[in-house]
Amino acid sequence: MNTKVHLTDLGKPTDSQRRRGGGREARRANRLSDSGPSAVQAGLQGGRYKPLTDTDIEKVHGAVLEVLETVGIGDPTQEVIDICVPKGATLSDDNRLCFPRTLMEDVLAMSAKEYVVHARGSRAGKDDVSTTDQKVFYAISGQAVTRLDAESLTYRPSTIRDIYDFTRVVDVSEHIHMAGVPVVATDIIDPLEHDINCAYAVMAATEKSFSMSFTSKENLAKGVELFDHVAGGEGKFSREPFCIFGGCPLVSPLRFGEENLDILIETARRGLICDLAVAPQAGATAPASLAGTL
């Protein structure tokens, strides 16, 4: 049997499909209009997948505390020395900052068990991210310097417009709960202009909460001024923060990264939320073969 098929006909409902409730388009419209309960929601309970036993977890925890106490972290800045030594940390002969087990246990006991990153405008309240150790949310992140061009299928340097476009995708994606800055705006050279424009691009594209990094603690202060302006007045951002500040204060092999460390100390001083990226365990600043060994 010879049958001529046109590409333009593919996907069109047949007469019999139309009679069965309107065909594919009708079924799609019905799915989109369904207001019933969703199987996937923001803040679902996590922590139930346990590939390690409680005993194994305690062994890993104990090993980490032993490394911090006996090996310590190299290249400490004077600021972090001044903060930690009076609390009980010690500086070794080879200039490594060591943290006694009792100090770390006290810090963990006093640490916050929950924090809220607020959404803005029409999303305020319903799209807030209230984080605990049992809730699961999804966000985007990264610091790539290129992006794949959808038309040419080649990589090109990323721009500030890409940050806006990616964030618009996040804005309409139901199961991405927090935005971020996945690429670097390589078309903006000045560090302060880069940081402020990245923040502006994200806030212009979505009212969901977001995370971002700043290149210096001085730029962080300028960013907080911008966030206060958006929130409606001085000090309002710190009371209902809609941005968390990311960075990687540790780099391989087990030493402090000065710039990110300075930024996160400043963030903590302001009572804001720090998002620590553990880059060595992700293979970013250490060989991938070492990722996750501790």
Side-chain angles (χ1 to χ4, degrees):
M1 179 175 66
N2 295 323
T3 304
K4 187 175 182 180
V5 177
H6 295 279
L7 291 178
T8 55
D9 292 333
L10 294 179
K12 289 184 177 181
T14 64
D15 290 341
S16 61
Q17 288 173 327
R18 291 189 183 95
R19 287 192 293 271
R20 294 197 306 269
R24 184 173 65 180
E25 289 302 319
R27 292 193 297 274
R28 180 173 182 274
N30 184 59
R31 288 196 302 271
L32 292 175
S33 65
D34 184 12
S35 58
S38 174
V40 180
Q41 304 170 26
L44 285 175
Q45 182 180 354
R48 288 175 288 183
Y49 173 62
K50 295 184 176 182
L52 298 178
T53 66
D54 291 343
T55 301
D56 291 335
I57 292 173
E58 284 301 317
K59 288 180 179 179
V60 173
H61 179 60
V64 172
L65 294 179
E66 182 179 353
V67 168
L68 289 173
E69 185 170 35
T70 61
V71 178
I73 303 175
D75 297 341
T77 63
Q78 188 59 50
E79 184 176 25
V80 79
I81 292 173
D82 293 341
I83 292 171
C84 296
V85 169
K87 300 296 184 182
T90 59
L91 197 61
S92 68
D93 293 338
D94 53 354
N95 198 41
R96 300 186 69 87
L97 195 60
C98 299
F99 300 86
R101 179 182 296 256
T102 53
L103 173 60
M104 295 309 302
E105 289 173 344
D106 287 345
V107 169
L108 292 172
M110 293 186 298
S111 63
K113 303 302 185 288
E114 181 177 5
Y115 64 84
V116 179
V117 194
H118 296 264
R120 298 179 292 118
S122 61
R123 294 184 179 272
K126 65 184 181 69
D127 285 329
D128 292 352
V129 174
S130 177
T131 302
T132 71
D133 63 347
Q134 293 293 313
K135 292 182 179 179
V136 178
F137 297 92
Y138 287 93
I140 65 169
S141 184
Q143 285 285 291
V145 295
T146 61
R147 66 149 293 175
L148 179 65
D149 187 276
E151 295 183 357
S152 65
L153 297 182
T154 59
Y155 285 92
R156 61 166 176 77
S158 50
T159 67
I160 190 68
R161 178 56 192 254
D162 292 326
I163 294 173
Y164 175 83
D165 289 343
F166 287 142
T167 310
R168 290 299 298 150
V169 174
V170 172
D171 186 68
V172 298
S173 298
E174 179 185 358
H175 300 307
I176 302 180
H177 311 115
M178 179 181 288
V181 183
V183 296
V184 175
T186 62
D187 51 338
I188 303 178
I189 303 302
D190 180 80
L192 177 58
E193 290 184 12
H194 178 276
D195 291 351
I196 296 301
N197 276 278
C198 285
Y200 178 83
V202 174
M203 289 188 292
T206 188
E207 291 180 332
K208 289 183 178 180
S209 57
F210 65 98
S211 64
M212 67 172 294
S213 298
F214 283 83
T215 55
S216 71
K217 63 181 181 181
E218 291 79 17
N219 290 4
L220 171 67
K222 294 293 185 181
V224 171
E225 289 181 17
L226 173 63
F227 297 154
D228 272 343
H229 179 73
V230 171
E234 184 177 355
K236 287 194 173 182
F237 169 69
S238 63
R239 290 192 288 274
E240 290 192 354
F242 46 78
C243 173
I244 61 178
F245 302 91
C248 181
L250 297 182
V251 295
S252 183
L254 203 59
R255 55 192 175 86
F256 288 107
E258 181 175 354
E259 290 183 353
N260 274 228
L261 178 63
D262 289 346
I263 293 168
L264 293 179
I265 290 175
E266 180 66 18
T267 303
R269 280 204 175 106
R270 291 173 173 268
L272 300 172
I273 303 169
C274 307
D275 174 24
L276 275 66
V278 189
Q281 284 194 299
T285 65
S289 59
L290 296 179
T293 55
L294 180 57

